[in-house]
Amino acid sequence: MCGIYATNIPFSEDEVKLKLESIKFRGPDHTGIKKIDDIVLGHLRLSIIDLDARSHQPFNHEGLSIVFNGEIYNFQDIKTELITLGYSFTTSGDTEVLLAGYKEWGKDIVHKLNGMFAFVIYDTIAKKIFCSRDRLGVKPFYYSWQEGKFEICSQLRPISQHKKINEEAISIFLDCTYIPSPHTIFQNVYKLPPGNNLEIDLHTQQISIYEYWNLKPINKWEISYEEATSQLHDLLKDAIKIRLQADVPFGSFLSGGIDSALISSIAAQVSPDSIKTFSIGFEDPEFDESKIAAQYASIIGSVHTETLCTTQQVLEMIPKLVSVYDEPFGDSSALPSLLLNKVTKQHVTVALSGDGGDESFLGYNHFDWVTKFTKLIRIPFVIRWLTSKALVLNILGKRTEPIKRILNLKTANSFIEGIFVGYNTILEKRNLNWLKTYNSYQKLSRNVHQKTADLNIKLWLENDSNVKVDRASMAYSMEVRSPFLDYRIIEFARNLSVSFRYMPGRKKRILRDILKEYIPEQVFNQPKKGFAIPIGAWMRNELKEEFVTNLSDRFLYQVPNLNVPKFKKMFQEHLKGKSDYSSYIWRVYVLSKWCQEFGYFQESNAQPKSKIFFIIPTLQAGGAEHIISFIAQNIDKTKFSVKLIVLGYEKDNLYDVKDVDVIYCNKKRLTHAIPKLFKLIYKNNPAIVFGTIGHVNLTLGFLSLFFKKTKFIGRVSTLISKIGYFSKEKQINKRIKKFLYNRLHAIICQSSDMKADFESFLNTHSSKLTVINNPITSTENIIKTESSFKGFKFITVGRLSPEKGHVRILNCLAKIKSYDFKYTIIGSGPLESLIKEKVSELGLEKNVDYIPYTNQVLNIVNAHDYFIQGSYFEGFPNALLESCTTGTPVLAFNAPGGTKEIVQDGVNGFLVETEFELIEVLNNINKLTSIESNNVKSSVSSKFDSKKILKEYESIFQKLLNN
């Protein structure tokens, strides 16, 4: 057992020494560092076999160098085979055998290995790095790879400098209590999955990762139960025997469970010397198994050492957990595991353990849950769904959310996955896409118990159990060997009938029947207490102050994606003894301590983030929607927690949204979306709800009647006076609109004209009204495309509706006499057919092109000479502003609204009052060519700067929050 390191980054030897020193506990017996070419190999040795200095690493042999962590249990067999092939050896350990085996068989050596291992081999001749990790992921392997530079290590800390937090990994941790491979807590640092090789070609700077072993589809063996029991017994004897090889003292962990009892019993039989066994006990009898372990030891004749541990001794392990586990690890049984290794190290250096028995032989309680769910799922879904909605659930108990979720599950696979990620969550938004990496379990067997066992092996065993055991043992320079993790036993057990391993009320059936040969059944057939601690009770008593201090608002509101209000409610209910949420509280506490250890999320002035919902009709090409989504994406996320609510369909999107959660109502009409909006606001309790466009604003005014604590803001996008009210019905509608608009806490107008227009509509000079212009949303990646067309190119972008004035633009263009021209129309709408008829009537078919809405508008505009706006009125012509950002000058009618706030006559284009004036400008080549592109850009760059305008919005939000 050791620590390994490799890199091609040019660190000094002192820097590498410091890196290795940070995990010195993995190998205190010798530190080796060697630079070969541009590769640095480092090794920390815990001497187990061949204690002589000749076996120190890095180990070299004929152009090959290796750093290796672990044990190859069948190395003697491989060594014998290599000797017959002409190899000779200078050491008596497994490292030299592994390196010689690689020289002989190359990467195929891994198929011959039976052990726990992670190693790096540098081939100095081929200039290649070859690495491998054992089949079950017993030994850790971390690596970073960026632009041809790599670091490899047994733990994260040495390769964590200057790394950014992986926020997705934090969310996964808060669901699972661990971070599964290939993810780590840091960006651009990964775990090599179990049963995988990694190769680096130093010539081409290419990295490749590929699998050499995995669980295979079940091929159930047709053997009798008696034959299976006999064969498994023989396999266990061999797996234990080959794990007893050591040149240092060894023993066996012994708890009150079946697995460690069976391993210790067989070890006592096959070992030539008396076996030493070790257990720890606790003051609380509910968690103490030491008396049962002592009975086992007396029966099998082991030399037994029992240590009674106090609560204080367990609590003293918390700093050790944080320092040696390197990334957040939320399995609280790591504390007694650390303590067990600490007391055992005083007597031996190697210990056998029973880890892995529950996975292959179906020993966990959740296998009983699977049995119950298979009965539940036979009930028609509609009945289960109605039951989940029934009020009776709220009467039955305190924690009904997981029950409701289980009742709503449609497949057994969903239930199985819930066992490992939970049926409740403390995340604001749960994304289980990462779980697809482990989806293979679904296809390996049709039996739900075996599916559960397979996901147990691939997900939980590697990332929880193996991590727990490795770090807890290495923290005290102990080596732990688990016979149940022999891949032969894993493969054998999986192909046995499930009934051989599991029966309701008799889990691990076959192991129990083997154990009867060593220990009477009445002795071991006692309730298993598990290797657990009363962490939930400690949170309410001994550790209450510690938890309250570390789970402050200052920390909680910095945790990405944590649903802080929900978590705080759970925390308080737990402290009051109303519910047991200790698992959730412990994992957040561990994250807090880890952040303190590694220096993340430590801003002393961190404040709770205010939730803001931005509501838009669609993510199509509309200017108002585009502006609101831009604000949602770019607002200060250290102050505000943002969600973008889209009323329409996700399939209709024309552009992507980044750095903000998007929720789709998937409704065609706003009236259909109102129930979902109501539910979202009720469930999430946002501080601010911000909408745009008239019908959304009116809906927010309506919703404000029900949510007194939420501030509702409307953003008007047109001149309301231009919407006529000619009938009695319209007049009634107008009064309703006034009432609903007056319900809003603030109204954003995009121009001074719009504000005056709205004040007139409301018959008041309201302080609610604020003018904020639209920002420049994008000036990046605008491409200038050249055209073979030599004449003038004009363009208009906007909805094809009467107020946009396309027809009068066409009338004016038809009067151009002095040059050839092209006119592009981007958009769609009710006037599309009429516009095409007008084009035909004016004989402009060769001049006019039509393009539907696209996310490439700016690039298309940039390919034209002038943007023409014919609108009769505009709230704020965003297309006009975007045209200026590309340097394309504009021709616009001086219509009521925001046009004159953008167009500076003679600077970035021309304002005209009538069609006659526009015709005059169009026929004046000298005037058209007098506008310079740089002037066009600079005319808007400062006034409509996005950072300035975002600050104006943030100021409005903060003002409302302070009132």
Side-chain angles (χ1 to χ4, degrees):
M1 296 288 276
C2 309
I4 62 172
Y5 178 82
T7 188
N8 65 346
I9 301 173
F11 295 118
S12 68
E13 185 173 339
D14 287 342
E15 288 176 306
V16 176
K17 281 181 180 177
L18 284 173
K19 287 173 178 285
L20 293 175
E21 192 65 31
S22 68
I23 57 169
K24 181 74 173 178
F25 47 81
R26 292 195 72 92
D29 297 330
H30 178 260
T31 300
I33 299 172
K34 188 167 186 176
K35 184 174 183 180
I36 308 163
D37 302 327
D38 293 327
I39 305 300
V40 174
L41 299 176
H43 190 261
L44 297 165
R45 187 181 184 198
L46 175 63
S47 302
I48 302 294
I49 296 176
D50 190 357
L51 310 185
D52 194 274
R54 64 190 178 184
S55 287
H56 288 342
Q57 300 180 41
F59 193 90
N60 309 296
H61 177 72
E62 296 184 10
L64 300 174
S65 298
I66 188 172
V67 284
F68 161 48
N69 170 31
E71 301 290 347
I72 308 301
Y73 302 123
N74 65 334
F75 81 96
Q76 294 286 12
D77 294 336
I78 298 172
K79 184 175 184 179
T80 300
E81 185 177 358
L82 287 168
I83 289 173
T84 63
L85 293 172
Y87 286 81
S88 59
F89 296 88
T90 61
T91 69
S92 58
D94 52 1
T95 303
E96 187 180 13
V97 173
L98 175 56
L99 199 56
Y102 178 77
K103 182 174 180 61
E104 177 63 27
W105 297 297
K107 62 186 179 183
D108 288 338
I109 179 62
V110 296
H111 298 291
K112 293 178 175 287
L113 305 179
N114 184 352
M116 53 179 184
F117 54 83
F119 61 80
V120 178
I121 294 174
Y122 173 42
D123 186 332
T124 61
I125 299 170
K127 301 297 180 188
K128 287 187 177 181
I129 302 284
F130 176 77
C131 314
S132 191
R133 189 180 182 197
D134 66 70
R135 295 170 179 83
L136 280 306
V138 181
K139 292 292 101 188
F141 187 108
Y142 296 91
Y143 71 96
S144 67
W145 171 265
Q146 284 183 283
E147 299 178 352
K149 297 298 182 183
F150 69 86
E151 273 192 286
I152 295 168
C153 197
S154 295
Q155 293 203 197
L156 265 178
R157 189 184 292 266
I159 60 176
S160 66
Q161 290 90 340
H162 313 300
K163 297 293 192 299
K164 293 181 179 179
I165 284 283
N166 179 352
E167 293 190 359
E168 180 189 8
I170 290 179
S171 292
I172 298 173
F173 166 74
L174 292 175
D175 262 345
C176 297
T177 72
Y178 49 79
I179 299 173
S181 64
H183 308 280
T184 73
I185 190 65
F186 298 113
Q187 295 179 25
N188 300 313
V189 183
Y190 310 94
K191 301 180 180 85
L192 180 65
N196 272 250
N197 297 331
L198 180 153
E199 291 189 72
I200 300 173
D201 189 319
L202 298 172
H203 288 301
T204 62
Q205 292 193 336
Q206 295 295 310
I207 187 171
S208 60
I209 296 171
Y210 54 93
E211 185 180 276
Y212 70 86
W213 184 90
N214 208 335
L215 301 181
K216 295 180 174 62
I218 295 298
N219 181 22
K220 192 166 70 173
W221 292 334
E222 298 299 330
I223 59 175
S224 69
Y225 182 71
E226 290 70 23
E227 289 175 307
T229 305
S230 175
Q231 289 182 34
L232 176 60
H233 198 171
D234 290 341
L235 259 180
L236 282 168
K237 287 179 180 178
D238 186 64
I240 292 168
K241 185 176 181 180
I242 62 176
R243 282 167 175 78
L244 292 176
Q245 302 171 87
D247 294 332
V248 293
F250 65 84
S252 183
F253 294 146
L254 184 59
S255 68
I258 289 171
D259 302 330
S260 65
L262 182 55
I263 296 301
S264 297
S265 297
I266 297 175
Q269 184 187 73
V270 301
S271 173
D273 303 311
S274 296
I275 191 81
K276 297 176 181 178
T277 54
F278 301 88
S279 68
I280 57 174
F282 298 105
E283 296 171 316
D284 188 337
E286 184 180 347
F287 297 89
D288 182 37
E289 293 185 334
S290 60
K291 291 182 174 57
I292 303 173
Q295 279 185 282
Y296 295 165
S298 175
I299 293 168
I300 67 175
S302 65
V303 179
H304 189 60
T305 301
E306 174 188 312
T307 304
L308 184 64
C309 299
T310 65
T311 298
Q312 186 59 35
Q313 284 177 298
V314 179
L315 299 182
E316 287 171 358
M317 291 292 105
I318 292 177
K320 193 74 170 179
L321 182 150
V322 176
S323 67
V324 302
Y325 276 76
D326 282 0
E327 62 182 349
F329 186 74
D331 185 341
S332 61
S333 67
L335 295 177
S337 295
L338 283 162
L339 194 53
L340 174 61
N341 280 278
K342 180 181 181 181
V343 299
T344 303
K345 178 63 177 178
Q346 300 169 18
H347 306 276
V348 298
T349 300
V350 178
L352 300 179
S353 85
D355 296 291
D358 287 311
E359 286 77 11
S360 293
F361 297 96
L362 316 188
Y364 291 116
N365 288 334
H366 57 241
F367 291 104
D368 289 334
W369 308 347
V370 172
T371 301
K372 294 173 183 176
F373 184 76
T374 56
K375 298 175 182 177
L376 178 67
I377 203 170
R378 294 173 192 158
I379 300 172
F381 175 74
V382 65
I383 297 176
R384 289 187 281 119
W385 181 83
L386 288 171
T387 304
S388 75
K389 303 297 181 185
L391 191 61
V392 68
L393 276 180
N394 297 321
I395 301 170
L396 288 174
K398 301 163 187 170
R399 295 180 62 175
T400 60
E401 186 174 343
I403 298 172
K404 291 176 180 178
R405 288 177 183 267
I406 291 170
L407 287 170
N408 283 313
L409 295 175
K410 294 183 179 180
T411 67
N413 289 342
S414 298
F415 179 79
I416 291 168
E417 290 166 8
I419 291 170
F420 300 100
V421 301
Y423 304 105
N424 198 355
T425 183
I426 53 175
L427 301 180
E428 282 194 333
K429 184 177 182 181
R430 194 180 218 187
N431 185 342
L432 295 178
N433 284 339
W434 63 269
L435 199 51
K436 292 177 181 177
T437 304
Y438 296 88
N439 272 357
S440 62
Y441 84 92
Q442 299 177 5
K443 302 175 183 178
L444 300 176
S445 174
R446 298 176 64 182
N447 183 282
V448 289
H449 291 87
Q450 187 58 55
K451 283 185 177 185
T452 307
D454 287 343
L455 189 56
N456 227 140
I457 291 168
K458 292 302 293 181
L459 176 60
W460 190 88
L461 178 66
E462 176 214 347
N463 299 295
D464 188 304
S465 181
N466 287 346
V467 172
K468 176 180 69 178
V469 173
D470 175 81
R471 304 304 189 281
S473 59
M474 285 284 87
Y476 295 99
S477 306
M478 277 281 298
E479 176 168 298
V480 174
R481 301 172 177 179
S482 306
F484 282 121
L485 296 184
D486 191 306
Y487 76 95
R488 298 171 301 167
I489 292 176
I490 299 281
E491 292 176 344
F492 180 84
R494 290 183 68 249
N495 289 298
L496 293 178
S497 169
V498 167
S499 65
F500 288 6
R501 295 171 285 156
Y502 171 85
M503 295 177 68
R506 188 172 168 79
K507 297 188 285 290
K508 295 190 282 194
R509 173 191 174 194
I510 195 168
L511 295 187
R512 290 174 180 272
D513 286 340
I514 295 173
L515 183 57
K516 282 193 297 186
E517 298 186 26
Y518 300 94
I519 299 174
E521 187 169 9
Q522 65 268 24
V523 176
F524 68 75
N525 196 19
Q526 302 182 51
K528 171 70 175 169
K529 298 180 180 180
F531 204 46
I533 51 175
I535 193 71
W538 291 347
M539 291 174 185
R540 299 186 185 105
N541 299 290
E542 295 95 327
L543 288 175
K544 182 176 180 180
E545 184 177 348
E546 167 75 7
F547 274 73
V548 170
T549 300
N550 284 278
L551 299 179
S552 64
D553 284 358
R554 181 184 68 80
F555 168 72
L556 295 177
Y557 280 101
Q558 294 180 76
V559 179
N561 201 27
L562 175 64
N563 188 332
V564 178
K566 180 176 182 178
F567 174 77
K568 290 176 70 174
K569 183 180 179 182
M570 293 166 76
F571 189 22
Q572 289 305 312
E573 287 185 3
H574 182 89
L575 292 180
K576 294 174 183 177
K578 294 181 178 180
S579 292
D580 182 4
Y581 289 115
S582 55
S583 173
Y584 296 100
I585 297 166
W586 175 254
R587 67 189 75 167
V588 180
Y589 170 78
V590 167
L591 178 62
S592 170
K593 300 297 284 186
W594 181 89
C595 288
Q596 293 171 39
E597 174 82 9
F598 282 80
Y600 291 92
F601 302 157
Q602 300 300 305
E603 294 96 333
S604 59
N605 61 346
Q607 299 294 324
K609 296 180 183 179
S610 300
K611 287 185 182 178
I612 301 182
F613 281 8
F614 290 90
I615 301 178
I616 59 176
T618 68
L619 274 173
Q620 293 180 311
E625 293 93 330
H626 180 66
I627 293 299
I628 295 304
S629 66
F630 173 82
I631 295 168
Q633 291 174 83
N634 292 281
I635 195 172
D636 187 347
K637 300 299 193 307
T638 65
K639 297 178 181 176
F640 305 104
S641 173
V642 175
K643 292 187 187 296
L644 183 64
I645 316 296
V646 181
L647 304 181
Y649 293 92
E650 184 173 4
K651 64 182 177 61
D652 295 333
N653 289 4
L654 276 181
Y655 50 87
D656 296 327
V657 175
K658 299 177 181 178
D659 302 322
V660 63
D661 288 338
V662 182
I663 298 174
Y664 294 92
C665 293
N666 290 316
K667 302 296 181 183
K668 188 174 183 179
R669 297 180 182 277
L670 171 61
T671 50
H672 298 163
I674 288 175
K676 184 161 186 177
L677 282 178
F678 190 98
K679 185 176 180 180
L680 285 168
I681 295 171
Y682 176 78
K683 185 176 180 180
N684 292 275
N685 193 29
I688 292 173
V689 178
F690 183 4
T692 188
I693 300 181
H695 56 294
V696 176
N697 296 334
L698 295 173
T699 301
L700 299 192
F702 170 71
L703 291 171
S704 72
L705 296 168
F706 304 96
F707 300 100
K708 306 298 184 183
K709 294 183 179 180
T710 298
K711 309 291 185 181
F712 290 88
I713 304 176
R715 178 180 175 276
V716 292
S717 56
T718 191
L719 297 170
I720 201 163
S721 64
K722 299 301 178 181
I723 303 173
Y725 307 98
F726 303 111
S727 66
K728 186 176 180 181
E729 183 183 358
K730 289 285 188 180
Q731 291 300 326
I732 295 171
N733 195 15
K734 183 176 181 180
R735 286 195 292 273
I736 294 173
K737 286 183 177 181
K738 276 189 177 182
F739 170 76
L740 293 176
Y741 268 113
N742 275 310
R743 290 289 310 167
L744 298 175
H745 297 84
I747 300 171
I748 307 297
C749 302
Q750 298 163 54
S751 66
S752 299
D753 273 9
M754 191 181 291
K755 181 184 178 187
D757 182 67
F758 221 83
E759 286 177 338
S760 176
F761 168 70
L762 295 175
N763 295 323
T764 178
H765 294 286
S766 176
S767 60
K768 293 181 180 180
L769 295 167
T770 303
V771 176
I772 302 181
N773 295 138
N774 284 357
I776 296 169
T777 58
S778 179
T779 56
E780 298 179 359
N781 303 319
I782 298 175
I783 302 168
K784 181 72 173 179
T785 56
E786 299 298 330
S787 171
S788 59
F789 181 72
K790 301 303 180 184
F792 262 84
K793 299 182 292 295
F794 302 101
I795 188 169
T796 298
V797 179
R799 181 171 168 77
L800 306 186
S801 53
E803 73 275 7
K804 296 297 184 181
H806 292 84
V807 172
R808 66 171 171 173
I809 293 174
L810 290 167
N811 286 330
C812 295
L813 289 172
K815 300 295 177 63
I816 293 176
K817 300 175 182 178
S818 54
Y819 56 86
D820 195 9
F821 71 91
K822 286 283 188 183
Y823 178 46
T824 302
I825 299 174
I826 297 182
S828 60
L831 258 60
E832 188 168 343
S833 297
L834 178 63
I835 290 170
K836 290 181 178 179
E837 289 175 9
K838 189 66 177 179
V839 169
S840 179
E841 176 190 322
L842 296 171
L844 297 176
E845 293 96 328
K846 294 182 178 180
N847 301 85
V848 179
D849 295 322
Y850 305 95
I851 300 176
Y853 279 127
T854 171
N855 57 8
Q856 296 296 315
V857 167
L858 291 183
N859 289 330
I860 297 171
V861 169
N862 196 35
H864 289 72
D865 301 299
Y866 264 87
F867 184 100
I868 305 182
Q869 180 176 287
S871 302
Y872 290 92
F873 61 89
E874 281 281 357
F876 190 92
N878 205 56
L880 205 63
L881 175 61
E882 290 184 335
S883 174
C884 291
T885 65
T886 70
T888 304
V890 296
L891 291 170
F893 284 92
N894 189 13
T899 301
K900 57 181 171 287
E901 298 195 20
I902 299 173
V903 182
Q904 299 175 36
D905 199 48
V907 178
N908 58 8
F910 300 99
L911 277 175
V912 298
E913 302 291 341
T914 65
E915 291 180 30
F916 178 77
E917 284 187 34
L918 179 57
I919 293 168
E920 273 195 336
V921 175
L922 288 171
N923 281 290
N924 189 336
I925 291 288
N926 290 332
K927 194 168 188 175
L928 288 174
T929 56
S930 66
I931 303 297
E932 295 184 9
S933 177
N934 288 336
N935 290 341
V936 176
K937 291 180 182 179
S938 61
S939 69
V940 296
S941 60
S942 177
K943 182 177 181 180
F944 304 103
D945 176 67
S946 61
K947 291 182 180 179
K948 176 176 77 74
I949 291 172
L950 282 168
K951 291 291 184 187
E952 292 177 18
Y953 273 103
E954 290 170 5
S955 177
I956 290 290
F957 299 153
Q958 203 60 58
K959 182 178 178 181
L960 286 175
L961 292 170
N962 292 338
N963 288 340

